[in-house]
């Protein structure tokens, strides 16, 4: 159980275009999902917290208009990198925290997706 | 959340126990110690967590000092597939609207040698 998927696993896009990355919790509900970015040989950096049915909370220094997050259902959050540039090339990872609306299965644990490798040319 | 310090890298011989230390001297009473690992180009994988008592599961053991200022993750019989970056994270586990953010440090790169 507790599987998180990401799609696509790899994407190459041209500079100036937008790309959407999906994060799905496959066998549990997640009111909260998190988006991280990881550059080569560096640690994961938290970008934003995605809350189902409400606006995302962005970490300091992360442009909310560039990294659009939508958490429309309890099993899906999307990250759209708008007007991508080569410096946006990175490994994007999501995680999902188990917990439905009624909190009956509330868990503090986070489960991570396999990541999406974005390359902007 | 409190910060942690870990060695940058460690080597371990295959089949031997790998002991990964973590210092969290500013940990608060309500903060847990979590361990995750990240194999190259994959998402992090949860290993184990604890508050005060030592914990063991099918993957590893977690030894927390009595003053809770440091801990050690033990992989009892390391294999080549255990080569990864291991992250020690402390965070509060709380209910309600808290987001339970996980803040990753630099971690320890464990290289298991054949």
């Amino acid at each position: 159980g507790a599987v998180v998927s990401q799609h696509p696993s790899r994407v190459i896009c041209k500079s100036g275009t937008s790309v959407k990355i999906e994060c799905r919790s496959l066998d549990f509900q997640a009111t909260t999902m998190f988006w991280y970015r990881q550059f080569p040989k560096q640690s994961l950096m938290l970008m934003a917290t995605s809350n189902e049915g409400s606006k995302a909370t962005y970490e300091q220094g992360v442009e909310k208009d560039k990294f659009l997050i939508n958490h429309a259902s309890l099993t899906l959050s999307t990250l759209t990198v708008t007007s991508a540039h080569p410096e946006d090339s990175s490994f994007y990872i999501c995680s999902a925290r188990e917990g439905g609306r009624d909190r009956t299965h509330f868990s503090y644990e986070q489960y991570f997706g396999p990541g999406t490798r974005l390359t902007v040319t | 959340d409190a910060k942690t310090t870990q060695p940058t890298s460690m080597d371990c011989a295959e089949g031997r126990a790998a002991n990964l230390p973590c210092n969290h001297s500013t940990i608060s009473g309500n903060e847990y110690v979590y361990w995750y690992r990240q194999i190259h180009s994959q998402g992090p994988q949860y290993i184990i967590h604890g508050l005060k008592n030592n914990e063991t599961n099918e993957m590893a053991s977690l030894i927390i000092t009595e003053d809770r200022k440091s801990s050690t993750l033990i992989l009892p019989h390391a294999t080549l597939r255990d080569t990864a970056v291991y992250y020690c994270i402390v965070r509060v586990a709380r209910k309600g609207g808290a987001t339970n953010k996980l803040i990753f440090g630099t971690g320890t790169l464990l290289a298991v040698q054949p």
Side-chain angles (χ1 to χ4, degrees), chain A residues 34 38 43 97 108-110, chain B residues 38 91 95 98-100 105:
Chain A
F34 303 87
Q38 186 175 34
S43 186
R97 188 185 71 178
Y108 305 128
E109 306 317 326
Q110 287 184 36
Chain B
Q38 186 180 25
R91 71 163 201 198
K95 297 182 179 181
T99 58
N100 298 134

Side-chain angles (χ1 to χ4, degrees), chain B:
Chain B
D1 291 337
K3 290 185 177 179
T4 63
T5 55
Q6 299 176 250
T8 302
S9 63
M10 292 181 64
D11 286 346
C12 175
E14 188 177 18
R16 305 297 292 268
N19 297 277
L20 293 94
C22 178
N23 183 289
H24 32 80
S25 58
T26 59
I27 191 170
S28 300
N30 60 347
E31 288 182 316
Y32 288 71
V33 180
Y34 279 77
W35 284 85
Y36 284 80
R37 74 179 183 183
Q38 186 180 25
I39 296 170
H40 182 63
S41 293
Q42 296 182 23
Q45 176 189 21
Y46 166 81
I47 301 174
I48 198 167
H49 76 282
L51 182 63
K52 295 180 183 178
N53 301 321
N54 298 335
E55 302 287 344
T56 296
N57 62 21
E58 64 278 6
M59 289 184 67
S61 294
L62 174 60
I63 308 298
I64 302 174
T65 58
E66 193 169 339
D67 63 7
R68 301 207 327 122
K69 294 182 181 227
S70 65
S71 61
T72 301
L73 178 74
I74 301 173
L75 307 180
H77 305 287
T79 70
L80 297 179
R81 286 178 293 182
D82 292 321
T83 292
V85 178
Y86 287 77
Y87 295 99
C88 169
I89 302 168
V90 295
R91 71 163 201 198
V92 176
R94 50 187 176 229
K95 297 182 179 181
T99 58
N100 298 134
K101 296 189 290 187
L102 286 172
I103 305 301
F104 286 79
T106 53
T108 296
L109 174 58
L110 174 68
V112 181
Q113 309 291 343

Side-chain angles (χ1 to χ4, degrees), chain A residues 27-44:
Chain A
D27 50 1
F28 66 99
Q29 294 181 331
T31 54
T32 304
M33 293 184 176
F34 303 87
W35 287 95
Y36 295 83
R37 180 168 55 180
Q38 186 175 34
F39 293 109
K41 299 189 184 301
Q42 294 187 23
S43 186
L44 285 80

Side-chain angles (χ1 to χ4, degrees), chain A residues 22 30 47 51 56-57 64 68 70 80 94 96 102 107 109 114 119:
Chain A
E22 293 185 350
M47 299 175 65
N51 300 298
T57 303
K64 62 180 181 180
L68 302 178
N70 184 277
T80 301
C94 72
D102 61 3
S107 165
E109 306 317 326
T119 303

Side-chain angles (χ1 to χ4, degrees), chain A residues 12-18 82-88 119-121:
Chain A
I12 300 173
C13 71
K14 292 188 176 181
S15 186
T17 62
S18 297
T82 63
S83 187
H85 291 286
E87 56 265 31
D88 298 323
T119 303
V120 184
T121 61

